[in-house]
Amino acid sequence: MSLYIGREASKLWKRICAETTTEINLLADNWKYILGGLIFQYIHGLAARGVHYLHRPGPILQDVGFFLLPELGQDKAYISETLFTTVFLSFVVWTFHPFILKSKKIYTVLVWCRVLAFLVASQFLRIITFYSTQLPGPNYHCREGSKLARLPHPQSLFEVLLINFPRGITHGCGDLIFSSHMIFTLVFVLTYQKYGTKRCIKQLGWLIAVVLSLLIIASRKHYTVDVVVAWYTVNLVVFFLDKKLPELPDRTGGASLLLPLSNKDKDSKTREENHKLLNGNSVDPADWV
């Protein structure tokens, strides 16, 4: 038993080392896209913080979702946040699964390049939208009488640049149309829909997206229009950008050219080339690279 465990541990370590080498090479080629996407996450947070200064609390707008869905209450607002956090962490873990599991359909760096491209495009449209018109926030901390409904004018540039994470993100007001939570959720679900392998998880992902939409409205964190606009905007953004971005190399068809060949793979490749030569077949020069 100990011998078997040691052998499997050695295989896992070799797999992790091989994947790490591959991903580092990919990161060296694509670090600008990753860095740009991460910087824009800060810009998006900065924009959401900025619109909070413009927010003016007022009467909650008439909303069909508020009529149909009972209000969960302030003490149950954690339910939607817990579900969203579960989706976020699950997706992150899935993108790193090639380091551990044998199934290698995706490259972590390349997947995150696409995900960040989808997020940046959707968040850019979101910033334009919520700065165009500021609606009175339906969330509890955005209503009249709450100390957080209005932010005092900043006293310095440093105060503006300080997002106050995470409280400044979770207790923002004015950044309504459209929902940021739904942007992340739909981008993650659509990405797994294309590159995931488990059909049941794909179906579960869409179900969770619908449930999260209802919970966001029931928690009064967003108006129904914020969720509805997110559904068709994010889907359209992903649909059009997906056609423009280079497709990921498929790793299910065998060993990838990006992965270093093991001694066993090299010996197998050499025997195949020798077999071609013995039968009078020419060897493709690309195979010698």
Side-chain angles (χ1 to χ4, degrees):
M1 177 63 72
S2 60
L3 180 62
Y4 173 78
I5 295 176
R7 187 185 304 115
E8 291 301 316
S10 177
K11 290 181 180 178
L12 177 60
W13 176 247
K14 290 180 179 178
R15 186 182 306 125
I16 293 175
C17 291
E19 290 294 330
T20 302
T21 301
T22 302
E23 296 293 345
I24 289 176
N25 292 333
L26 290 173
L27 184 60
D29 294 333
N30 299 277
W31 67 270
K32 294 180 180 179
Y33 304 108
I34 298 292
L35 181 60
L38 294 177
I39 290 176
F40 195 85
Q41 299 310 301
Y42 170 75
I43 295 175
H44 175 257
L46 198 64
R49 176 75 171 177
V51 79
H52 196 165
Y53 290 105
L54 304 176
H55 177 258
R56 295 295 178 267
I60 298 178
L61 304 179
Q62 183 174 340
D63 190 281
V64 64
F66 293 177
F67 286 115
L68 297 177
L69 296 175
E71 189 170 351
L72 288 179
Q74 192 170 3
D75 58 330
K76 296 181 180 179
Y78 70 91
I79 298 177
S80 62
E81 290 298 328
T82 302
L83 183 59
F84 172 75
T85 303
T86 302
V87 172
F88 189 94
L89 295 179
S90 299
F91 182 81
V92 171
V93 170
W94 172 73
T95 59
F96 284 90
H97 83 275
F99 286 84
I100 306 297
L101 303 179
K102 292 182 179 180
S103 56
K104 302 175 181 178
K105 188 175 182 180
I106 63 170
Y107 293 103
T108 302
V109 170
L110 299 183
V111 164
W112 277 105
C113 283
R114 298 178 74 86
V115 167
L116 287 172
F118 299 148
L119 291 177
V120 167
S122 300
Q123 290 168 336
F124 178 76
L125 295 175
R126 180 175 187 261
I127 292 172
I128 294 176
T129 307
F130 67 62
Y131 265 104
S132 299
T133 303
Q134 290 83 49
L135 303 179
N139 211 335
Y140 302 100
H141 62 268
C142 298
R143 299 177 184 179
E144 192 70 57
S146 173
K147 295 181 179 180
L148 298 176
R150 300 186 183 208
L151 286 182
H153 292 292
Q155 301 299 318
S156 64
L157 179 62
F158 177 76
E159 186 178 344
V160 176
L161 298 178
L162 183 63
I163 298 179
N164 189 22
F165 182 86
R167 186 174 179 82
I169 302 297
T170 58
H171 289 75
C173 298
D175 57 326
L176 292 173
I177 300 178
F178 41 97
S179 171
S180 179
H181 283 60
M182 291 309 302
I183 290 178
F184 280 91
T185 301
L186 291 172
V187 166
F188 292 166
V189 171
L190 288 167
T191 302
Y192 188 85
Q193 178 70 30
K194 182 172 183 178
Y195 298 111
T197 56
K198 303 295 184 181
R199 183 179 179 183
C200 59
I201 297 181
K202 295 179 182 180
Q203 296 172 343
L204 178 62
W206 286 112
L207 177 61
I208 290 177
V210 173
V211 172
L212 183 60
S213 300
L214 299 177
L215 287 175
I216 289 174
I217 299 172
S219 301
R220 304 302 188 253
K221 295 180 178 179
H222 278 279
Y223 292 108
T224 304
V225 64
D226 306 336
V227 175
V228 172
V229 171
W231 269 90
Y232 64 73
T233 302
V234 175
N235 276 279
L236 287 174
V237 167
V238 173
F239 175 78
F240 286 108
L241 274 185
D242 190 59
K243 294 181 178 296
K244 300 294 183 181
L245 296 175
E247 190 51 75
L248 296 186
D250 190 0
R251 306 179 65 173
T252 58
S256 172
L257 293 176
L258 292 174
L259 286 175
L261 294 176
S262 63
N263 292 332
K264 182 178 179 181
D265 295 330
K266 291 179 180 178
D267 294 341
S268 176
K269 189 173 183 180
T270 302
R271 287 196 298 269
E272 182 182 354
E273 292 168 353
N274 291 337
H275 180 73
K276 289 181 180 181
L277 291 173
L278 290 173
N279 286 280
N281 297 329
S282 60
V283 180
D284 189 349
D287 295 337
W288 292 97
V289 179

